[in-house]
Amino acid sequence: MSNIDDILSYNKQFVGSLEYEKYSTSKFPNKRMVIVTCMDTRLTELLPKAMNLKNGDAKIIKNAGAIVTQPFGNIMRSILVAIYELQADEVFVIGHHNCGMTGLNPEAVIHHMEDRGISTETITTLKHSGLNLMRWLTGFDNVRDSVLNSVSIIRNHPLLPADILVHGLIIDPDTGQLELVDGAAGRQA
Ligand SMILES: [Zn+2]
């Protein structure tokens, strides 16, 4: 059921036969890019290929939905680290069609949690804690609006240097086609 044994045995052979050599690069992104995108499995290889990105070209931050919700949450912190410490100077937020976060229903997620053994008491406690559980488990209605909102949070961040370009795009998870929904060209000095 678990993949761990297969992975560890494959890994021995991968390292032993020096297969890593072709991926050799530094920690600095060669194309000075940082990408925020979705964890969707269809994008694992497709997104870099569709953007002509090789190992070492871009910092890629992933979460469910390619969403930046908190100006001081950990996605934004990663973006700032990429910029200040790792030489990135261009940010790409890339949502995708047919995303699992489209229309994510918090009530349904909570039902699934209860089905898997999380107690109603725990759910109730969390609903009444400082954490807004319902909001936390809500996705978005429309990927375009979500990308525009994330781009806006990044662009308006008080700690973002003025010369950083921030773009919003949507990728087709089947063909890899990119649609630019908010380009930063107009912001270039
Ligand atoms: Zn997605």
Side-chain angles (χ1 to χ4, degrees):
M1 189 167 139
S2 167
N3 291 301
I4 187 66
D5 291 341
D6 285 349
I7 287 174
L8 291 178
S9 102
Y10 176 86
N11 181 257
K12 248 186 206 143
Q13 172 251 311
F14 177 89
V15 176
S17 58
L18 312 183
E19 283 197 50
Y20 55 84
E21 284 181 339
K22 57 177 176 276
Y23 301 105
S24 174
T25 182
S26 81
K27 68 176 180 178
F28 299 105
N30 297 326
K31 293 191 175 176
R32 303 179 71 103
M33 297 166 58
V34 53
I35 296 171
V36 180
T37 191
C38 183
M39 66 184 189
D40 193 292
T41 45
R42 291 167 293 184
L43 302 180
T44 305
E45 287 189 74
L46 179 68
L47 182 136
K49 297 277 187 213
M51 297 180 71
N52 193 27
L53 297 174
K54 299 194 170 44
N55 207 40
D57 280 348
K59 295 287 166 194
I60 303 183
I61 304 162
K62 293 191 167 196
N63 67 11
I67 310 175
V68 182
T69 45
Q70 302 288 337
F72 291 93
N74 90 40
I75 298 290
M76 193 64 223
R77 179 176 56 197
S78 299
I79 293 169
L80 292 171
V81 169
I83 290 169
Y84 284 107
E85 301 303 315
L86 299 163
Q87 305 176 355
D89 54 20
E90 194 166 19
V91 183
F92 295 71
V93 177
I94 310 179
H96 68 99
H97 296 298
N98 195 9
C99 183
M101 288 300 272
T102 308
L104 186 77
N105 176 350
E107 288 291 357
V109 178
I110 287 170
H111 278 305
H112 295 153
M113 290 170 171
E114 288 172 336
D115 288 347
R116 297 284 294 272
I118 307 301
S119 72
T120 306
E121 192 189 0
T122 298
I123 300 290
T124 307
T125 304
L126 288 173
K127 273 185 181 169
H128 295 97
S129 69
L131 168 70
N132 185 339
L133 187 65
M134 301 304 279
R135 177 74 197 89
W136 191 59
L137 291 172
T138 298
F140 47 74
D141 294 331
N142 174 308
V143 67
R144 175 181 297 261
D145 291 347
S146 173
V147 167
L148 293 175
N149 188 56
S150 296
V151 165
S152 167
I153 288 174
I154 300 166
R155 276 193 193 144
N156 294 309
H157 201 280
L159 299 178
L160 193 84
D163 58 342
I164 298 297
L165 300 176
V166 186
H167 314 284
L169 300 98
I170 297 172
I171 190 166
D172 183 316
D174 298 316
T175 66
Q177 182 172 33
L178 288 168
E179 178 194 353
L180 184 65
V181 296
D182 190 349
R187 280 169 51 89
Q188 242 160 339

